[in-house]
Amino acid sequence: MTQTAVNPADQARALVDHRYRSAVPYQVEREKIREFARAVQDYHPAHWSEAAAAELGFSGLVAPPTFSSIILTRMHREIMDSLITGYDPTRILHADQVFDFGRPLVAGDRLTCDVYFESFRHFGDYDVLAIKSVLIDQDGMVVQTGSSALLARVGGPDPGLAEAVRTVAMSPVTTRQGRTEAVVPAAADSLAPPHAPRIAQPEVDFADLAVGTELPTRTVRLSRGDLVNYAGVTGDVNPVLFDERIAVASGLPTVVAPGMLKLGLAASFLSAWLGDPTALTRFRAQFAHNTHYLRIPPLAAGTVEFRGRVTSIDPRRRRATVAVDARAEGRKLFGYAAAEVLFQQASWASA
């Protein structure tokens, strides 16, 4: 009997306004936190020492801000393995990512992930899927949310990739109502407070900040071994991250660092400045521009220089927005990247 090939675009379109729940809850483990911290070069003591984490008011090691990218990577793979099965994984680009941090993840957390398919459309040589992820802890509280835009290349090499990314980078999407699993619970849009109030303790004095304040520059080095290590820690098995031939065949200039690794390094840069990795409340970055590749040579390390600048201040809420610039060999690595930072000297429950 002849089998009809399934069109992945039809599969993706049919998922819009539906929810998918992770097959297995994710257990946040102490050693995994340390492995991830090493992979994103984040050396804040709270990621390594229970005593340092306890000084910040936590019962176990605190995960770096983008630790949940491990869970998102697993969820994206589940979706492509079981729900949208026709795309070539080496031709899927991560165009845009937003993290909203309700509270830090801590060793011992047991997390369930719900994914909401918010929109699907076709643009040029790309199918574009926007999804929202919601992390729920063992007590049923929403602790983080995230939004991702994934581009699946269905045509040949596209010189207009930069324009495609700018066009599809996520904007607020209104979810239609009335279909099965279509309604996002209110908790998905309003982050819950942590189990117990705590004090945000950034070392930077909010009174010293002004629009235009520049952060100290930080330089990091990445080798291909670092890429393999990050792939192993996060479970990202896409061969374009470590196989030169497949990377070139997929249209990349060489082996390049994945967008989520660059975002993790950027979050580490911010944490080092703040002195408190839990002060980040939101981080957004745009990836996948033609010139935004972090190319890693085979026998040497790539160098990335991170800079930051305060672009807005909210005195009433004691929050600041910081634009992040990352460059390698003079090339920008983000189309856009910015974080919102909390300087509130009060409990998170009231922030």
Side-chain angles (χ1 to χ4, degrees), residues 89 270 287:
L270 292 168
F287 311 124

Side-chain angles (χ1 to χ4, degrees), residues 81-94:
D81 287 346
S82 61
L83 301 180
I84 308 174
T85 56
Y87 290 125
D88 180 349
T90 67
R91 293 164 67 89
I92 295 177
L93 303 174
H94 197 161

